[in-house]
Amino acid sequence: MKLTRSSCLLAGIFLIAGCLRVTFTGVSPLLHDIAQNFSLSDVSIGSLTTLPLLAFAAISPLSAGLAKRYGAERVLFMALLILCVGIIYRSAGNTSALYQGTVIIGCGIALGNVLLPALVKRHFPEHVGDTIGKYSLVMGLCAAAGSALMVPLAQTLHSWRWALLALGLFPLVALLAWIPQIRQSPDRYLSPGEAQSHRYLWRSPLAWQVTLFLGTNSLIYYVIVSWLPAILTSQGYSNEQAGSLHGLMQLASAVPGLLAGYVLRTLKGQQGLTLFMVLLCTLSLAGLLCWPVFSALWVSLFGFSCGAIIILGLTFISLRSGSVLQASALSGMAQCIGYLLAAFGPPLMGQFHDLSGHWNGPLLVLIACSLLMAVFGYHASQTRSIGKN
């Protein structure tokens, strides 16, 4: 019975993970159609990718408190309901619903992003890296599949609205599979010390090191996701080639999920692996700047290294925290700061490009950010816990 319950829980975690990126990134291939339908400017259409990131930042710090009061399983069920409502509303067919639905979806994703690492820590404490690696792989594969299918689906259904509505199948299936878990009670078993410790995260150097490690990676990743096609076309690539390389990067970001469990089990510590992945990220950015003729290699290395860094950062949230509640609070803190950086990074780098007239300056800034990420990662990967650092 115990094995069956664990298997059902694990399957539910993977299904929830499959919803957390595709419902956000799935809109990107249809942005041109949406812009034409509503006669939206570039700034207005760009906010469809910025608004969810701001929602992530706003909701993430609240997630631990909700989990403490109602139980992580029930809050995740609520998150899936919110996703379903947001997807339906976003597909209603008017501009107001488009933006409001996007914000609602961002709120649902934020709850899932924060609480899944804490849930893994509670139920699979001996397999944190392996489990996070696998659900990151599921997240990436679902996002890639959703992005690839959106345009053909919109053409088949003769409407981008129906294509966006079809994304609701992801949270709907997860919602049905998660129903058995909502009977779990809130975390009443925590000791008084554990229940209080999460309040002091914002004064913990280790908590800030984990937070800024994930935050700088989010900043770098979302700037490249937003501007890679423009960077490549400025270097002489066609729109089609730039689009293909952008897809290659997304696919490469899912690959570390296949290897994370084995590698993290084999290594005694994470410092060497962390610094190596940050080095690959830095090398890929330098390659895009100095040797653009090899861009297929650089975007593959960038996607792979960023995907691995995300898995490492989520693993640090579980390994560096002393309790499930503290893990939830640290996850909320890290993702709040990370998504704030991610939300403001792309427009700031775009403005920098407009002022300078080329992408060399923004790429140099990202290389500097990557070197800072190495410093944060070195400290975050040391074997210690919050409260003992």
Side-chain angles (χ1 to χ4, degrees):
M1 178 64 71
K2 184 177 180 180
L3 178 61
T4 302
R5 187 176 303 161
S6 296
S7 299
C8 290
L9 176 63
L10 192 60
I13 288 173
F14 289 160
L15 287 171
I16 293 174
C19 304
L20 297 183
R21 191 176 294 171
V22 66
T23 49
F24 167 42
T25 61
V27 71
S28 297
L30 301 176
L31 287 178
H32 179 71
D33 292 340
I34 295 171
Q36 284 191 325
N37 194 134
F38 294 120
S39 300
L40 298 176
S41 66
D42 290 342
V43 173
S44 297
I45 204 68
S47 65
L48 289 176
T49 56
T50 303
L51 283 174
L53 298 175
L54 293 174
F56 297 167
I59 299 299
S60 293
L62 308 177
S63 303
L66 291 171
K68 179 185 176 184
R69 182 170 183 177
Y70 300 108
E73 290 83 359
R74 294 173 184 172
V75 177
L76 284 169
F77 184 81
M78 180 176 67
L80 294 169
L81 279 175
I82 291 171
L83 278 176
C84 290
V85 170
I87 289 170
I88 293 170
Y89 198 48
R90 183 177 64 180
S91 308
N94 60 76
T95 308
S96 176
L98 178 68
Y99 286 101
Q100 292 173 18
T102 297
V103 173
I104 293 170
I105 289 169
C107 294
I109 294 174
L111 294 172
N113 278 338
V114 170
L115 295 181
L116 278 190
L119 206 63
V120 170
K121 178 179 177 64
R122 182 201 298 169
H123 293 285
F124 306 100
E126 303 300 321
H127 306 282
V128 169
D130 191 21
T131 306
I132 289 177
K134 287 177 179 176
Y135 88 56
S136 297
L137 174 64
V138 171
M139 192 183 302
L141 290 176
C142 287
S147 295
L149 292 173
M150 278 298 96
V151 172
L153 194 59
Q155 292 172 347
T156 301
L157 299 174
H158 306 290
S159 172
W160 59 263
R161 297 185 186 92
W162 286 106
L164 286 184
L165 187 62
L167 291 174
L169 290 174
F170 287 90
L172 181 60
V173 171
L175 184 75
L176 296 174
W178 197 249
I179 288 174
Q181 307 302 328
I182 61 177
R183 292 175 291 182
Q184 298 294 323
S185 299
D187 301 327
R188 304 299 186 192
Y189 59 87
L190 295 174
S191 69
E194 289 175 323
Q196 296 294 325
S197 63
H198 75 284
R199 299 180 182 178
Y200 305 101
L201 286 175
W202 294 85
R203 288 181 284 174
S204 164
L206 180 55
W208 273 105
Q209 287 151 8
V210 173
T211 293
L212 292 174
F213 177 62
L214 272 171
T216 49
N217 184 65
S218 295
L219 168 65
I220 294 167
Y221 178 77
Y222 279 101
V223 169
I224 294 297
V225 164
S226 300
W227 294 116
L228 180 62
I231 293 171
L232 293 173
T233 53
S234 74
Q235 294 171 340
Y237 288 87
S238 67
N239 289 333
E240 292 75 13
Q241 289 172 325
S244 297
L245 289 172
H246 192 273
L248 177 63
M249 182 194 71
Q250 297 277 21
L251 189 60
S253 69
V255 173
L258 290 171
L259 310 172
Y262 172 77
V263 173
L264 290 173
R265 284 196 306 269
T266 304
L267 296 176
K268 293 183 179 180
Q270 301 93 35
Q271 279 186 307
L273 179 61
T274 300
L275 292 177
F276 178 69
M277 288 302 164
V278 175
L279 174 64
L280 283 185
C281 180
T282 308
L283 176 63
S284 67
L285 293 169
L288 283 173
L289 175 63
C290 301
W291 303 284
V293 67
F294 301 114
S295 289
L297 172 63
W298 306 134
V299 300
S300 298
L301 286 179
F302 179 82
F304 181 85
S305 59
C306 281
I309 290 167
I310 290 170
I311 293 172
L312 285 167
L314 293 175
T315 302
F316 294 159
I317 287 172
S318 293
L319 295 181
R320 305 297 170 251
S321 52
S323 69
V324 174
L325 179 59
Q326 192 178 73
S328 299
L330 177 57
S331 184
M333 173 182 172
Q335 298 196 51
C336 172
I337 299 298
Y339 285 120
L340 275 176
L341 292 172
F344 291 104
L348 286 176
M349 290 301 102
Q351 185 68 25
F352 189 5
H353 165 263
D354 290 342
L355 292 173
S356 63
H358 52 73
W359 288 104
N360 292 354
L363 285 171
L364 285 171
V365 171
L366 294 184
I367 290 170
C369 289
S370 187
L371 294 174
L372 277 176
M373 181 167 60
V375 176
F376 301 136
Y378 174 81
H379 293 289
S381 58
Q382 293 179 356
T383 305
R384 52 196 176 131
S385 299
I386 292 170
K388 301 178 182 180
N389 53 312

